[in-house]
Amino acid sequence: MTQVVRQTTRDLRRHNRAALLSSLYLRGPVSRLELVAESGLSAATVTNVVSELIADGVVAEAGSVESDGGRPRTLLAVRPEFGHVVGVDVSETHVEVGLFDCALGTLGTVRHPLVGTRLDPDEVAGLVRTGIAEVLEGGEPDAVFGVGIGVPGAVRDGGIVHAPTLGWRGVAFADLIHPHIAAPLHLDNRARTLGQVESWRGAGRGAERAIVALLGVGVGAAVATAGPSHPGITTSEWGHTVVKAGGAACRCGSHGCLEAYVGTEAVVRHYADRVGREPVIGDESDAELARIVGEAREPGPAADVLAETGEYLGIGIANLINLLSPDRVVLSGSAGAIMGPAILPAVRDAVRRHALGYLGALGAATLPIAQLLASGGRTG
């Protein structure tokens, strides 16, 4: 039996609004003419939908640009004042909560280290609730139309979190937050959330396929693929791909994982082993990593450890390049920010040595060879 799905006028209008609003949000400010060209909708449809969005207060005019031979074109952009959103980043070492306007402009942030919580879900959820209350203090909670939470693990239906690095298995984390807030709650893997913001507002913007490598205590990767209006984001357990057989022990229980060589605590532990002392880990690990980076300006154990870190990170990135052929790779996360400038030359060198060269012409040359094989060696 063939099932026919009918698209109502309301569905079509909602689709058109979503397509144009996504273009405005991701590319704006843009003109109506650019929206017509990008969306494939008629000029009349774009004019009508834009008028609705302006009337609803979602979109506003944002200046003008000169056109070729005609009158200036009016630019359109999403109104930051339309509403507020709350973003919550839960990592292995801290909970950071931010209040943002509709254009992702920062209105306020608070940060709570995960000290003494033993990463207990109830205690972590308590810090999330406290942070949300702090950023909303003195404001209008009704103006918040959503709360997003990024966690270092997989999120299943119903907000169930599986986060091995936190020791969480099947934790109903959303249920610990939702009863205490009025706005809709959205939960996802933090590698995905960071990949999304890099592709929307950061270094991945404009790339057809960008890989965002998240370096922190844990290591992950998000792949942002450009679409007609809304990029797609996929994540992977990149940090637990093996880069050295029988190598260093990883928190996942395996050995030789990338995370065991380039994660914050991994680098701190490798340095401590080199100098023969106890590693400084936990809520002080970022500060210790920054100290190691500073020491690495001179030859010695710190410089050796960072050189090794850059080599392994380069190998890991080369693997991603060989598998996914991105046009851009972005280093993100707390460890990426701390180590990035110091290890980037070593990372680039390793990538050059391990990533395959561009195979376009060679790939095209396989077409006549394939035909030759299929024809049993006849070229005529």
Side-chain angles (χ1 to χ4, degrees):
M1 178 179 177
T2 302
Q3 195 173 37
V4 178
V5 178
R6 289 185 172 86
Q7 188 177 49
T8 66
T9 302
R10 177 180 295 179
D11 292 334
L12 184 60
R13 186 162 61 184
R14 184 185 298 114
H15 174 271
N16 291 342
R17 281 175 63 103
L20 295 184
L21 188 57
S22 294
S23 292
L24 283 165
Y25 196 85
L26 297 172
R27 293 191 55 241
V30 294
S31 67
R32 290 173 175 82
L33 187 62
E34 289 172 301
L35 289 175
V36 170
E38 181 171 305
S39 68
L41 300 174
S42 69
T45 297
V46 168
T47 297
N48 290 336
V49 172
V50 167
S51 296
E52 289 180 9
L53 292 171
I54 291 175
D56 291 343
V58 187
V59 171
E61 294 184 351
S64 61
V65 292
E66 295 295 329
S67 62
D68 296 332
R71 62 182 181 178
R73 294 198 303 267
T74 300
L75 297 177
L76 304 163
V78 173
R79 286 184 66 242
E81 304 85 3
F82 178 69
H84 297 159
V85 293
V86 172
V88 181
D89 180 46
V90 178
S91 79
E92 295 90 341
T93 58
H94 68 267
V95 170
E96 185 174 44
V97 183
L99 178 66
F100 306 90
D101 63 29
C102 195
L104 292 183
T106 303
L107 303 176
T109 60
V110 295
R111 183 183 177 106
H112 292 286
L114 291 176
V115 179
T117 64
R118 302 181 306 280
L119 300 180
D120 178 79
D122 290 301
E123 295 185 39
V124 175
L127 288 180
V128 171
R129 297 193 299 266
T130 297
I132 293 173
E134 289 172 341
V135 297
L136 293 179
E137 187 175 2
E140 301 178 13
D142 291 343
V144 175
F145 60 84
V147 175
I149 302 179
V151 294
V155 180
R156 307 302 184 206
D157 292 341
I160 306 299
V161 178
H162 300 270
T165 59
L166 300 181
W168 296 1
R169 294 187 180 277
V171 173
F173 195 63
D175 291 344
L176 301 177
I177 307 294
H178 197 267
H180 302 272
I181 61 173
L185 182 65
H186 308 270
L187 211 66
D188 209 335
N189 176 271
R190 70 189 294 255
R192 183 190 298 273
T193 62
L194 285 169
Q196 187 151 276
V197 77
E198 287 286 3
S199 68
W200 284 13
R201 292 288 186 267
R205 188 173 186 179
E208 288 297 315
R209 178 179 292 175
I211 291 177
V212 180
L214 171 62
L215 307 180
V217 175
V219 175
V223 183
T225 305
S229 60
H230 196 76
I233 305 291
T234 58
T235 59
S236 69
E237 290 295 335
W238 175 56
H240 298 291
T241 55
V242 175
V243 293
K244 185 176 182 179
C250 181
R251 293 183 301 168
C252 71
S254 184
H255 287 78
C257 295
L258 180 65
E259 184 177 300
Y261 292 94
V262 304
T264 303
E265 291 187 359
V267 176
V268 169
R269 289 182 187 278
H270 289 317
Y271 172 80
D273 289 344
R274 292 286 182 97
V275 298
R277 70 186 192 197
E278 287 296 313
V280 179
I281 58 175
D283 58 295
E284 297 296 325
S285 57
D286 279 354
E288 175 66 1
L289 180 61
R291 194 195 67 76
I292 293 170
V293 170
E295 184 182 320
R297 295 190 183 100
E298 301 294 334
D304 294 341
V305 167
L306 287 191
E308 183 179 83
T309 301
E311 176 73 13
Y312 280 113
L313 180 56
I315 292 172
I317 291 174
N319 290 339
L320 289 175
I321 292 171
N322 292 338
L323 286 169
L324 301 172
S325 300
D327 53 333
R328 193 174 305 169
V329 178
V330 179
L331 297 185
S332 185
S334 58
I338 295 169
M339 294 190 297
I343 67 174
L344 202 52
V347 171
R348 285 174 171 159
D349 178 65
V351 169
R352 278 192 293 268
R353 286 184 283 108
H354 294 285
L356 296 174
Y358 181 61
L359 301 180
L362 183 59
T366 66
L367 298 177
I369 296 296
Q371 179 59 39
L372 179 69
L373 297 176
S375 66
R378 296 180 182 275
T379 60

